[in-house]
């Protein structure tokens, strides 16, 4: 077996907060542990260090040297670390104790580097035992009676006589990370600096779970001494599962620019609300076909965050024969899934009749305009010539709303060109069921470009 021990640099001590990142040693070790899981599933925390058992993963990375090069050169740790290696986890951790112990044999390692010997160091030094080999040479029975069995068990594990059993680090099902800010933040856009630290942890979590995020929540805790709310939150949703932290960071920035903080913020917390497994993507080997820049839905999401959801709309087809109700405009964030489902239904149902499509105008009036009638013929800036029709429409009678009984015609105007008009087949609500050809109204409903 082969073990690697990692320990954050001395500037981040237990309980001490890093001045720039606002992270304690526990936070750094948690982020470091998630980063290490991409190389081996056997990662455990041992006091103020991490231990990785990599012997089962070496072949997947092309050998031990390739794996070490990947860890410490190609894909560097998320924080500055010291590292050491050994045949057991305790040997690797002990070699972190001093810089010059990287290749020291286990017998020559100092007892101060063995955590189980810590409470007995003073007594052992009086006995002349300062190295692992000297302690191992003592009678086992006397050591057990004098210092207890845990010291012997730790020594056996250090030399490989007993297996190393640890609670291995496991990724949570839901990502949630908290960050204590190094200083009070009084403006919402300034929270983006701390959010970037949380997004970097989220990226590791998504990569290890092969997921993309669909919805996440950024929460902040404010100064409780102020007579205001103590918490705030911001929910960001995406149309497609994504692991692109640059896109999520831009979305958070656009949303935070609209937030006003009633009190300074002390803590940040980022949590995933909805995730989805990512499918594999095959990229082209040709440089001209490689994707450049943001995708369409990323651009629309950023515009929606900046301008407001009601300012960036997308067409949603509706199952209705009445032209004014065949479509609806909804915010992009709400309409994306509905449009995808509608497109799937269209592909499954086949093409629409091209003969009926040919009569539909390129511009539909918001409200039909009633036309003047002379001798039962419609007028619009002069007499109209009917070119095609009628296209009969009977819809709306099943829903209890407006009932549409119309005959549509393609008409030509000397002044306006081609028009789309219709004639009501009934005189009105008071004459339901009666023919109204003589006094039925004519309406202009659309224009052809």
């Amino acid at each position: 077996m082969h073990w690697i021990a990692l320990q954050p640099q001395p500037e981040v001590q237990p309980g001490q907060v890093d001045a720039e990142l606002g992270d304690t040693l526990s936070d750094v070790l948690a982020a470091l542990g998630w980063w290490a899981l991409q190389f081996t599933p056997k990662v455990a925390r041992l006091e103020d260090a991490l231990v990785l058992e990599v012997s089962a993963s070496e072949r997947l990375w092309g050998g031990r040297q390739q794996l070490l090069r990947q860890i410490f050169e190609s894909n560097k740790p998320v924080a500055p670390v010291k590292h050491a290696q050994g045949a057991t986890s305790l040997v690797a951790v002990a070699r972190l104790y001093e810089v010059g112990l990287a290749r020291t044999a286990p017998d020559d390692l100092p007892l101060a580097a063995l955590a189980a010997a810590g409470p007995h160091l003073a007594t052992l030094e009086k006995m002349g035992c300062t190295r692992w080999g000297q302690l191992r040479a003592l009678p086992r029975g006397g050591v057990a009676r004098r210092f207890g069995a845990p010291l012997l068990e730790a020594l056996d594990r250090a030399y490989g006589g007993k297996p190393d059993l640890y609670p291995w680090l496991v990724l949570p099902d839901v990502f949630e990370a908290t960050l204590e800010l190094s200083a009070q933040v009084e403006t919402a856009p300034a929270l983006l600096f701390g959010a970037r630290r949380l997004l970097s942890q989220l990226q590791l979590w998504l990569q290890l779970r092969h997921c993309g995020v669909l919805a996440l929540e950024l929460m902040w805790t404010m100064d409780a001494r102020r007579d205001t709310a103590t918490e705030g939150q911001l929910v960001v949703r995406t149309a497609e599962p994504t692991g692109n932290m640059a896109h999520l960071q831009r979305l958070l920035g656009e949303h935070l620019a609209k937030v006003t903080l009633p009190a300074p913020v002390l803590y940040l917390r980022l949590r995933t609300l909805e995730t989805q497994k990512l499918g594999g993507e095959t990229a082209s080997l040709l440089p001209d076909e490689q994707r450049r820049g943001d995708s369409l839905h990323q651009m629309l999401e950023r515009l929606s965050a900046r301008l407001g959801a009601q300012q960036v709309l997308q067409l949603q087809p509706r199952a209705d024969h009445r032209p004014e109700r065949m479509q609806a405009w909804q915010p992009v964030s709400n309409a994306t899934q509905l449009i995808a489902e509608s497109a799937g239904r269209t592909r499954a149902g086949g093409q629409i009749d091209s003969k009926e499509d040919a009569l539909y105008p390129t511009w539909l009036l918001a409200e039909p305009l009633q036309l003047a009638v002379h001798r039962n013929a419609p007028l619009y800036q002069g007499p109209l010539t009917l070119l095609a029709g009628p296209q009969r429409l009977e819809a709306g009678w099943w829903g209890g709303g407006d009932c549409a009984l119309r005959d549509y015609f393609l008409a030509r105007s000397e002044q306006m060109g081609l028009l789309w008009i219709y004639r009501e087949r009934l005189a009105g609500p008071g004459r339901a069921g009666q023919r109204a050809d003589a006094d039925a109204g004519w309406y202009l409903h659309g224009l052809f470009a």
Side-chain angles (χ1 to χ4, degrees):
M1 302 181 73
H2 190 75
W3 293 80
I4 300 175
L6 302 175
Q7 186 180 45
Q9 291 289 359
E11 55 264 23
V12 183
Q13 298 293 340
Q16 179 182 358
V17 177
D18 185 273
E20 179 181 359
L21 305 181
D23 294 339
T24 63
L25 178 64
S26 179
D27 298 328
V28 173
L29 285 173
L32 198 60
W34 287 6
W35 168 85
L37 282 174
Q38 63 186 306
F39 305 108
T40 173
K42 294 184 176 181
V43 179
R45 178 173 177 178
L46 189 60
E47 298 178 357
D48 59 345
L50 288 178
V51 289
L52 292 68
E53 203 289 297
V54 298
S55 58
S57 304
E58 291 175 354
R59 183 179 177 184
L60 298 176
W61 294 93
R64 181 174 301 175
Q65 294 304 318
Q66 291 293 336
L67 173 58
L68 295 177
R69 188 177 296 110
Q70 182 71 21
I71 293 176
F72 298 112
E73 296 180 13
S74 301
N75 190 356
K76 295 183 179 180
V78 294
V81 297
K82 297 190 300 182
H83 69 277
Q85 306 175 51
T88 66
S89 62
L90 295 183
V91 169
V93 172
R95 287 173 175 169
L96 289 172
Y97 188 73
E98 293 180 7
V99 177
L101 300 180
R103 297 184 179 277
T104 304
D107 284 346
D108 297 330
L109 291 172
L111 279 179
L114 186 64
H120 315 293
L121 282 179
T123 305
L124 289 170
E125 288 179 359
K126 292 179 181 179
M127 296 172 57
C129 292
T130 59
R131 303 290 174 181
W132 286 17
Q134 295 171 341
L135 176 61
R136 193 183 185 195
L138 295 177
R140 294 180 60 86
V143 172
R145 289 191 299 271
R146 185 73 178 270
F147 303 107
L151 179 58
L152 284 179
E153 292 179 1
L155 199 61
D156 291 340
R157 288 193 295 113
Y159 280 89
K162 289 186 177 181
D164 288 309
L165 301 178
Y166 295 110
W168 302 116
L169 182 64
V170 178
L171 285 177
D173 294 334
V174 176
F175 173 85
E176 185 170 355
T178 303
L179 175 66
E180 181 180 0
L181 301 177
S182 57
Q184 294 184 352
V185 177
E186 298 184 355
T187 60
L191 296 177
L192 191 60
F193 176 78
R196 282 199 296 264
R197 306 300 309 173
L198 298 176
L199 286 175
S200 64
Q201 298 182 39
L202 173 62
Q203 185 176 26
L204 286 173
W205 184 86
L206 291 173
Q207 290 175 349
L208 293 172
R209 295 189 66 90
H210 304 287
C211 288
V213 64
L214 283 168
L216 56 86
E217 182 182 37
L218 179 66
M219 293 161 283
W220 51 86
T221 302
M222 293 174 283
D223 191 348
R225 295 172 297 179
R226 304 294 182 93
D227 188 17
T228 60
T230 58
E231 292 186 349
Q233 64 177 7
L234 176 64
V235 176
V236 175
R237 299 184 180 275
T238 60
E240 297 179 358
T242 181
N244 188 342
M245 294 301 110
H247 176 56
L248 293 177
Q249 180 179 322
R250 286 195 293 265
L251 287 181
L252 283 175
E254 296 291 351
H255 285 288
L256 288 173
K258 302 178 182 179
V259 175
T260 301
L261 297 177
V265 175
L266 305 176
Y267 297 91
L268 282 179
R269 184 173 60 175
L270 187 68
R271 180 166 62 99
T272 56
L273 301 179
E274 186 177 357
T275 59
Q276 182 177 321
K277 288 290 184 180
L278 287 177
E281 182 178 355
T282 302
S284 174
L285 297 178
L286 302 177
D288 293 341
E289 296 186 10
Q290 294 179 0
R291 181 181 299 173
R292 299 177 181 177
D294 295 339
S295 63
L296 175 60
H297 83 273
Q298 290 178 344
M299 181 194 69
L300 294 177
E301 287 170 355
R302 193 163 66 252
L303 288 176
S304 297
R306 180 179 304 176
L307 304 177
Q310 298 299 326
Q311 304 302 319
V312 183
L313 306 179
Q314 192 167 9
L315 174 67
Q316 176 198 349
R318 298 176 61 182
D320 200 311
H321 291 284
R322 288 166 288 188
E324 66 273 13
R325 299 193 180 186
M326 283 183 174
Q327 60 190 25
W329 293 92
Q330 291 194 1
V332 172
S333 57
N334 298 335
T336 303
Q337 183 63 30
L338 297 175
I339 291 176
E341 295 176 356
S342 175
R345 289 193 299 266
T346 302
R347 288 192 296 268
Q351 298 181 351
I352 303 175
D353 188 357
S354 60
K355 294 181 180 180
E356 294 185 359
D357 274 354
L359 291 179
Y360 287 150
T362 53
W363 186 267
L364 198 68
L365 300 184
E367 293 289 340
L369 176 64
Q370 188 169 7
L371 301 177
V373 179
H374 179 66
R375 296 182 179 180
N376 296 331
L379 302 175
Y380 185 69
Q381 298 187 11
L384 298 180
T385 303
L386 302 182
L387 301 179
Q391 177 188 352
R392 181 150 293 182
L393 174 66
E394 295 183 359
W397 49 268
W398 60 86
D402 297 334
C403 180
L405 302 175
R406 308 167 185 168
D407 287 336
Y408 279 90
F409 296 86
L410 179 63
R412 184 176 63 192
S413 169
E414 296 294 338
Q415 302 294 330
M416 300 298 297
L418 295 179
L419 306 176
W420 201 47
I421 65 175
Y422 70 84
R423 178 182 60 190
E424 289 184 335
R425 294 181 51 226
L426 296 180
R431 305 182 187 179
Q434 300 179 5
R435 294 293 299 172
D437 295 339
D439 53 358
W442 285 85
Y443 295 85
L444 172 63
H445 206 178
L447 306 172
F448 291 85

